[in-house]
Amino acid sequence: MSGATYDTNNIFAKILRGEIPCHKVYEDADTLAFMDVMPQSKGHLLVVPKAPSRNLLDADATALAKTIPVVQKLANAAKDAFDADGISIMQFNEPAAGQTVYHLHFHVVPRYEGAGLKPHTGEMEDHGVLADHAKLVIEALQG
Ligand code: 5GP
């Protein structure tokens, strides 16, 4: 670990506390999932354990064990919802690795044959589009 600590005012902590809105797709006792506001591809969402940790490096193993099945569930739902050809799971630790929000999260990024990714933390998506995409994921989760 770099020595940096967990900041309780990071943006995902605020989302978890309900202080900032999000386009939620899934929630259980330990996990929240919502659409990324700057999607790198159509349907990009984030899975966030509720337990506070800066990233994977300082995460509690029990929290991790609860999170990965949710990542799998959301990966399958996103693949179905957007008729994606594949799913990239991405997770960054510390600035040198591309992390910009310091509460552990897993990116679930639908991939489409022949299409690249938009830049990481690029353009903000329209909220109407994010709301529509969230609805599609929720429907896919309901099977
Ligand atoms: P990181 O670089 O830390 O792995 O990824 C942080 C992600 O959070 C980025 O993909 C960025 O687009 C997304 N993000 C940043 N701020 C917000 C926000 O306020 N709401 C949501 N839903 N996503 C955010």
Side-chain angles (χ1 to χ4, degrees):
M1 226 172 102
S2 67
T5 52
Y6 182 79
D7 172 9
T8 54
N9 278 325
N10 76 75
I11 201 124
F12 293 167
K14 289 183 180 177
I15 287 174
L16 287 168
R17 289 196 294 267
E19 294 167 11
I20 288 179
C22 69
H23 295 279
K24 180 165 89 173
V25 294
Y26 176 84
E27 181 168 17
D28 63 27
D30 304 295
T31 323
L32 182 70
F34 49 86
M35 304 312 295
D36 194 300
V37 284
M38 291 173 267
Q40 287 190 258
S41 75
K42 180 180 172 184
H44 180 172
L45 61 88
L46 301 167
V47 178
V48 179
K50 291 182 178 177
S53 78
R54 190 173 155 83
N55 53 42
L56 187 83
L57 304 177
D58 62 332
D60 175 73
T62 307
L64 280 180
K66 287 176 177 162
T67 305
I68 293 302
V70 178
V71 172
Q72 181 190 38
K73 185 197 290 279
L74 270 297
N76 278 305
K79 189 167 182 299
D80 291 349
F82 304 104
D83 201 19
D85 299 306
I87 299 286
S88 292
I89 303 298
M90 301 193 288
Q91 192 281 314
F92 306 126
N93 302 283
E94 301 301 329
Q99 186 177 10
T100 59
V101 177
Y102 299 98
H103 180 114
L104 175 60
H105 54 281
F106 292 83
H107 297 259
V108 174
V109 185
R111 303 302 301 267
Y112 305 94
E113 214 58 75
L117 289 181
K118 291 191 215 160
H120 184 51
T121 65
E123 211 172 302
M124 188 87 82
E125 183 58 276
D126 177 82
H127 279 284
V129 171
L130 291 175
D132 289 347
H133 288 176
K135 206 168 148 218
L136 290 175
V137 177
I138 291 165
E139 283 169 5
L141 282 170
Q142 288 164 349

